[in-house]
Amino acid sequence: NLTPSVKNDPLVRLPGTQPFPEGDVVLEAPTRCLNCHADYNTIVEPGFNWKGSMMAQSARDFVFWACMAVAGQDSAWAIGTPNAVDICERCHFPQGWLEGRSDPPNASAMVGSDFDGVHCDFCHRAYDPFFEDTFSGVREGSDQVYWDETNLSGTPSDDAATAAYQEDVRIAADISLFNEGAKDLPFFKNNQPPDGYNENGSGQYFISPTRDKRASFADAEARHGMYYSRYHKSKYFCGICHDVSNPVLANLGAAPGQPLPTESNSAYSYFHVERTFSEFMLSDYGLQGGSPGKGPFDPAIFETSLPDNAISKCQDCHMRDGVGAGCDKKGVPIRPDQSIEHPGSGQPIHDLTGGNIWVPTVLASSVQGSPNYDPVNGSLLNQGPAVLTLDLTAGEGLDPAALLAGADRSRQQLQLAASITDLEYFPASGDLHFRVQNQTGHKLISGFPEGRRMFLNIKVFKTGSLIQEVNPYDESAGTLKGLSYNYQADPLGKLPKPLSLAANEIYVDDLVYEMHPSSTLTGEQETFHFALADNRYKDNRIPPKGFRIGEASERLSVPRSHGADAPGYFTAAEYSGGYDEVQLQVAPDADHIEVSLYYQTTSREYMEFLRDEINGNPNNQTLPAGAYIIQSDPFFSGMKAWGNTIWELWTHNMNLDGAAPYLMTQAVYGSGQPLCTAESPVLFDAVAGNGSVTLNWTDMHTGNQDIIGYKIYYDQSGKAQFVDNAGLATSYTDTGLTNGSPYCYQVVSYTADCDSDFSNILCAIPSAGNGNRAGAQSIVTGILTKSGKGKNTTTVFTTLSIFSQGDEVVFRIGVVDVNTGSPLEGATVQLQISGPEVAFIESTASDTNGIAEARWKTQAPNRKGNGGTSTGDYSAAVSDITASGYVWDGVIVSTAFIVQ
C-alpha cells in the first residue's frame, strides 16, 4: 500500500509541533516579509542573501529530489510504506509539512511558498523547547555579555526575555506525546521535556501558533507583533536541522505505553545520517564562552559579539554580523553603532553559506536572462510538476543574481575553511610532511553523505616534468582515478569509464576525506542508501579544534575505519589543534611539489547510484529486484523522470565548480612560476554622492601586461559580493544605492587565469545631502475663504495667528534648495503640531514657487459648549522634508499660533 497516511505513523513521529490541523499553524509566505526586508541594500538585507542560500532552495535542490525518490523506494522495501520520505519533507518543505501537505509523502501536494524551503516565517516562529533552562541560565549561562545585552536601566532585554518565556510556557502546554498508551499525555512536565531528551535535532522543531515574529534584538520595532528571542542567538537554534538521524529505524519495536525512542532520546544518539551540530558541540567552540578562531577566523581579524572575538555559535560564521539596517523603514537603527541595547551585534547577514557551489549555479542557469543562462538546464529543470513534481516558478521562484552571489560566497567559504601549513620535503628520501588545518567549527568536510568529498592532490615535478601524482582526477570521466567502483554504462554515451592509474599515479584513500555509511539491511559495507544506513564504514574527516574524542561515541561521531570505530585515527595533538598531520613518501629528488586541497559537492558515483536506483537498472541493483518500483508504481509518477534528469544534469554540468573539484587551498615546495601574477590594487578613494559612491584605485595593468581588468566587490563582513567588471578603468561609480546605508568596497585585478588578492577596504555612506539639501524658509498660518459662485469662485488665503475652535488652520511653508536658495517644486513637508494637543500632518507637494500647503482641522464644541479642540498656545514645526534627489537639511523651522 503506497498511499498510507503519515499522520498516525509512529515510525516517523518526532517531538515538536505537529501538522495542521493539530497544531493549527499557518505560515506566512516570504513575499510578506520581503516587502520590508529586501530591495534596499544587497550587502546586509535579509531578502537578497536568503534568496541566494541553499535554505531558500531546499525544496528546489534537484539532487535532493532524486535522493528523495530513492528514499521513498527504499522505505517501501524496508517497512512496507514510503513514509520515511516524511522525514525529508519536514526540513526541506517546513511550511508544507506543518500545514499537512506531506501526505502523501511524495511532495505532490506541495504548493506555492512550500517551495521556498526554509523561509522567513518558519525560522522566525520557532521557539526554544528548553526555554526553562535557557531563561534560568542553566543551558547557556545567564551572562549578559553572552547575549550582548547591556541590561541598563530603561533598556528592554530583561522584560522582553521574560515576556518570551511566559509565551513559551503557554504554547508549550499544547505539545503532547504520541505512542500508543501514552498518546495525548503532555510532552512537557514542569516546563521540562522528558528525561534523556536534551537536544531537539533532526528536524524536531517547535513553532509558535501565533503570527508574532521572534528574533535576536530586544530594541527592534515593527508593525507586526514580536518576541525577543535569545534562542535565535543560540547555537542550539541551528541544531534543529543539522544533526540528522533516522527515526524510522529507531522507532521500530517501540514499547506500548511508553514514550517513543525519538521522544525520550536526543537524535544524536541513534542512526547517524549527519552530525554537523554534534561535531560543533564536541569542539572548543561549543563550550560555554566559545574559543578563538583560527586562520581567517583569528580574533585579530574576525569580529563577533563576544569579548576577545571568541566564536561560540554557528551564526558567528554562517550569519556574520554586518553593518546596516534590518529593513527599509525610516528610523531603523544602523547596527551595531546605533543600538544601545545590543552594542556588539551587527545586522546578521542571512547568507547561511555552506559549500554548495554547484546547485545554485545550475539553478540560476535555468532562468532566461541570467548571466549564465543555459537552455539545456532550462529544459531539464522546467519540465514541470506533472513530470518532476518540482515547480521552479512556485513561491518566490528563482533570483539568478542572488543565486550566483550565493555560489560566490560558497567559493569563499570553502577557501576560508582550510589551510595547508608546515610543508616539508626531503629530496633524498622523498619524505613529504605537511598539515591540513581545519579552520571551521565542525569536521572538515561537514554535512550529508551525498557523494560529497574533499581530497588532497599532490603533484611532484622534476625539471619541469610531472614525475608522480597522488589522487589524480580524470576530467573526462568526472571522478578520481583509482576508486574501486563498479561503473555502469552511460546511457547517454557521453562519459567514459575512468582511466586506470598510470605507472606514476597513486590513489591514497586516507587523503580522501569523506563519510561512507554502511547498511546491514542491504548487506553493503559502503552504501548510498542513507534511508537504510545503520552504521558508518568510513569517516576520516578532519576534526575541529578541541575535538573531545572521549565524548564522541555518545554522539556517534568517532572516526571510522573499515567499519570500526577508530578513536586513535587522529592523535591527541591533532584533536586538540583541529588538523591532520600528513606524512607520506613520494618520488625523491623532486624540485617542485604542489599540494592542493579540493572539494566536490557531489560525485559521479552518487549520480550513477541515483540514476540506476530510480531507473531500476538491473546491472547495478543493491536491493532485490522486486524493490525497484519507481518506474511502475503510480505513487512515484512525479518522480520517475528524475533518473534520467539527474544524470543528464550531471553530464551536462560536471565541469562546473563544485561538481568538478574546487580548489580550497594550496601549498608549494620549491621554485617555479608564481601561482598568480595578478597584483592587488590599492583602493584610495570612496566618495559618497546622492545614491552613489565613486571609487578610485591604483593602476596595476600598465606595469603588468598580464592584467586584463579589475572587478569591484562589496565587502560583506569578510566575504565579498560581486558588483561589476570595470575593464581596465581605474575608477567606477556605483549607482542606485540607498541613501543613509553604509557601503564598503574592495577591488581585485585579474589575468586570463586568476584574480589577485583583494585590495584594502574603503567605505562610504551615500546621501542626498552629498548633493542636494531641501530646507524650510518660512511657515505662515492662516485661513482660506471663498467668494463668488460657480466659475467665478475664488479662494483667498488670509494670514492669521489666532483661531477659533472649529477653524481649519492652513500652513503655508516655503521650501527652497538650500544650496542655491531657489524655490523647490514637488517637495512635501511633515509638520508636528504641539501644545494642549499633539498632531502630525503632511503637506501637499510644493508648487513652482516652492509653497507647500498643509491643513489642520480643529473641532468645535458641541451645542452645550463641551468638547472641541483644546484651547491654548500651539506651535507647528517642520519634522521632515521629502523631495526626489534631496535630503532635509535638518533645520527645524516653526511658528506659533493660538486656538481659543
Side-chain angles (χ1 to χ4, degrees), residues 151-204:
N151 208 24
L152 298 172
S153 176
T155 55
S157 60
D158 260 3
D159 288 346
T162 300
Y165 166 75
Q166 292 170 342
E167 175 68 358
D168 293 347
V169 171
R170 184 186 71 82
I171 58 181
D174 293 331
I175 304 296
S176 62
L177 296 171
F178 178 81
N179 199 20
E180 197 65 36
K183 195 170 184 179
D184 298 329
L185 292 176
F187 182 76
F188 291 94
K189 293 182 179 179
N190 300 318
N191 296 334
Q192 298 283 4
D195 291 342
Y197 183 84
N198 52 37
E199 281 179 22
N200 57 310
S202 204
Q204 298 172 34

Side-chain angles (χ1 to χ4, degrees), residues 309-350:
N309 291 327
I311 295 170
S312 64
K313 50 188 177 293
C314 317
Q315 296 91 323
D316 286 332
C317 297
H318 293 281
M319 292 186 71
R320 297 183 180 205
D321 283 356
V323 177
C327 72
D328 63 0
K329 302 308 177 192
K330 287 186 177 181
V332 173
I334 302 295
R335 300 187 187 277
D337 291 347
Q338 293 181 4
S339 173
I340 297 173
E341 178 61 2
H342 304 289
S345 298
Q347 169 59 33
I349 298 175
H350 287 56

Side-chain angles (χ1 to χ4, degrees), residues 752-797:
D753 300 316
C754 62
D755 292 355
S756 74
D757 292 334
F758 283 109
S759 72
N760 58 312
I761 298 169
L762 289 181
C763 304
I765 302 176
S767 169
N770 291 321
N772 304 305
R773 294 180 298 151
Q777 195 173 46
S778 60
I779 302 178
V780 178
T781 59
I783 60 172
L784 295 174
T785 56
K786 293 182 180 181
S787 62
K789 294 182 179 181
K791 294 181 180 180
N792 297 320
T793 300
T794 59
T795 302
V796 177
F797 175 77

